[in-house]
Amino acid sequence: MKFTFDKDAMIREIAIAQEIISTKQVAEIRSNVALYAYNNSLTIKATDSKVNFETTLPVQIQEEGETTIYCDKFMGILTSLPEGEIEFNQPIENGSDQAITVIIKPLTKKIKFQIKSMSVDKFPDFSSADNVPYFDVPSKDIKEMIEQTSFAVSDDITRLFMNGVFFEKNGDNLILVATDGRRLSFASKNLLAGVSDFPAVIIPPKILNIISKRAPDEGNISIAVVDKMIFFRFGNYKFGSVLLEGQFPNYNRVIPENQLYSFQVHKEDLVNALKRVALMVDKKAGRIYFEVSDGILKITSPQSDMGSADEEIPCEYAGQSCTLAFNYRYVDEPLKVIPTEKITFEFTEELKQVTMRPEPAADYFHIIMPMHKE
């Protein structure tokens, strides 16, 4: 097996593999990336047994073959080498060896790395994604929906059904929902006209965050939901992920039909004030207070042994004064993904759901359960 490739092109693909694979055990085959060099094309595969990745890369092949090598070490070698063409050589005469030495070297410099490889025989088989019913959605839209929801999943391992993003078809709408029991993020877009029904599923955030990061802003992403797997395709990339099992909570019961009061603030004012006040917040409790009155939002951290902080910013509100207690992270995280200049908070009572949304309203919003006041 012998081929040459462009360093930067290879790094882009191996970086994706590196996000996916297990690196806990060097000797573990899942810590390796599989390489298949045939017909002047290199197929790259990686898996952590739950998330699969496959792509192809044009290369110049002198000798066809296949092998696996430790991904992190391969990436380290690639980033250390000078720009340009690099040769990958696994001698044929050692073809039966389970620990064949691979030679990696640039074509223009006297640098040589030798790294042990492992046979592809033990590399995990992927679930087939070739003959499944895909549907297309605009890449820009699905990326936005993932960005607006995936951060809100629970990390409580005793409630695995909330460790992922709920993904369902409702009429022609695609709906994504995430919750940890104290907050909920919801996104819905009309993207599925003409698409056959598929079962509602719970998708681990790992695969969604990779898709959001790697998919292009233009064009479509192809998606298929089959049995206990979900598949994504775009460009030369193919991804697959095992789905989470369990019954997702009835999110419609959490979403208020109407709320009596609302106030608007400029996002930049809120971001800066929250950043300053959070310096004095007890990180374990995370509690902050929003005191809203005519034209003023006062953000306060509770008094502690270290001290306290408060800041007033202008807001659009005319009504009875009210104090809401939040986990500051539940306000801060949606702020990072809402792109509008103004933010609206809608509420009815101090201990009932608060809706945080862009102003003007869009096809996503975030629900926060207030905390009890100390």
Side-chain angles (χ1 to χ4, degrees):
M1 179 181 186
K2 185 177 180 181
F3 60 89
T4 57
F5 59 89
D6 176 73
K7 171 193 166 179
D8 290 341
M10 181 68 78
I11 283 178
R12 284 193 295 270
E13 312 305 339
I14 298 303
I16 301 174
Q18 202 172 30
E19 290 183 57
I20 292 172
I21 64 176
S22 169
T23 57
K24 294 178 181 179
Q25 297 292 332
V26 175
E28 165 61 53
I29 190 68
R30 286 174 299 176
S31 295
N32 284 21
V33 59
L35 307 174
Y36 304 82
Y38 296 100
N39 300 317
N40 283 327
S41 179
L42 182 71
T43 297
I44 301 169
K45 292 185 178 182
T47 184
D48 68 354
S49 78
K50 293 183 178 179
V51 177
N52 303 329
F53 164 63
E54 180 180 335
T55 188
T56 57
L57 182 70
V59 296
Q60 297 177 4
I61 298 176
Q62 289 77 49
E63 297 170 1
E64 295 183 335
E66 53 195 48
T67 193
T68 79
I69 57 174
Y70 184 45
C71 185
D72 269 10
K73 194 65 69 177
F74 186 34
M75 188 63 160
I77 292 170
L78 290 173
T79 55
S80 76
L81 291 173
E83 302 299 316
E85 292 293 303
I86 296 172
E87 181 181 279
F88 184 105
N89 184 12
Q90 178 177 266
I92 289 179
E93 58 267 27
N94 293 328
S96 62
D97 194 347
Q98 292 297 302
I100 309 165
T101 298
V102 170
I103 299 169
I104 301 170
K105 61 182 183 180
L107 296 183
T108 58
K109 301 283 185 179
K110 292 184 177 181
I111 306 169
K112 181 173 73 174
F113 286 93
Q114 295 186 167
I115 182 173
K116 297 293 185 181
S117 67
M118 296 176 67
S119 169
V120 296
D121 294 346
K122 295 181 180 179
F123 196 77
D125 289 332
F126 284 10
S127 298
S128 176
D130 293 329
N131 299 312
V132 294
Y134 282 90
F135 58 89
D136 290 342
V137 296
S139 180
K140 181 179 180 180
D141 288 330
I142 191 68
K143 287 176 66 172
E144 181 186 38
M145 295 179 76
I146 293 169
E147 184 179 55
Q148 292 293 336
T149 55
S150 63
F151 65 86
V153 302
S154 172
D155 58 5
D156 183 350
I157 60 173
T158 66
R159 298 191 291 178
L160 288 175
F161 55 90
M162 291 202 303
N163 289 179
V165 176
F166 189 63
F167 183 97
E168 74 167 344
K169 182 179 186 289
N170 186 342
D172 290 343
N173 287 349
L174 177 62
I175 295 175
L176 270 65
V177 186
T179 182
D180 66 2
R182 299 299 304 173
R183 45 101 175 259
L184 179 145
S185 291
F186 175 96
S188 174
K189 287 183 181 291
N190 190 313
L191 304 177
L192 302 181
V195 174
S196 300
D197 289 345
F198 56 83
V201 295
I202 306 172
I203 308 174
K206 179 176 181 177
I207 183 64
L208 291 178
N209 292 335
I210 290 171
I211 297 301
S212 179
K213 180 179 178 181
R214 300 295 180 177
D217 291 332
E218 304 298 328
N220 289 333
I221 293 179
S222 299
I223 305 174
V225 178
V226 181
D227 298 325
K228 297 180 179 181
M229 294 284 297
I230 188 165
F231 300 101
F232 299 88
R233 294 190 313 198
F234 53 90
N236 291 327
Y237 298 126
K238 297 179 183 179
F239 295 89
S241 176
V242 175
L243 297 165
L244 297 177
E245 297 184 7
Q247 182 65 44
F248 196 79
N250 183 354
Y251 62 85
N252 286 305
R253 296 175 59 184
V254 179
I255 300 172
E257 289 187 10
N258 57 72
Q259 291 170 289
L260 299 179
Y261 310 106
S262 69
F263 62 91
Q264 291 85 40
V265 295
H266 282 276
K267 176 182 173 179
E268 185 177 2
D269 290 344
L270 181 56
V271 168
N272 292 332
L274 195 64
K275 185 184 299 183
R276 285 186 281 266
V277 173
L279 293 173
M280 301 304 291
V281 167
D282 180 326
K283 301 304 180 184
K284 185 175 181 180
R287 184 180 279 102
I288 57 169
Y289 295 123
F290 276 25
E291 302 174 43
V292 60
S293 58
D294 285 354
I296 298 293
L297 173 64
K298 184 178 181 180
I299 304 171
T300 306
S301 70
Q303 184 72 38
S304 70
D305 293 340
M306 297 299 293
S308 65
D310 64 73
E311 182 169 342
E312 293 184 358
I313 61 174
C315 76
E316 298 176 29
Y317 177 72
Q320 185 176 352
S321 297
C322 179
T323 300
L324 303 164
F326 295 119
N327 183 319
Y328 82 95
R329 187 166 61 91
Y330 289 178
V331 179
D332 181 58
E333 290 180 342
L335 277 177
K336 293 176 180 177
V337 297
I338 296 176
T340 54
E341 293 183 1
K342 285 188 175 183
I343 308 288
T344 291
F345 290 83
E346 299 171 340
F347 65 99
T348 297
E349 297 178 18
E350 292 181 351
L351 290 175
K352 287 193 174 181
Q353 302 100 308
V354 175
T355 302
M356 181 177 175
R357 63 168 178 80
E359 180 62 42
D363 43 21
Y364 59 87
F365 54 79
H366 308 277
I367 305 253
I368 307 170
M369 288 302 299
M371 303 174 76
H372 288 277
K373 302 173 189 174
E374 287 186 328

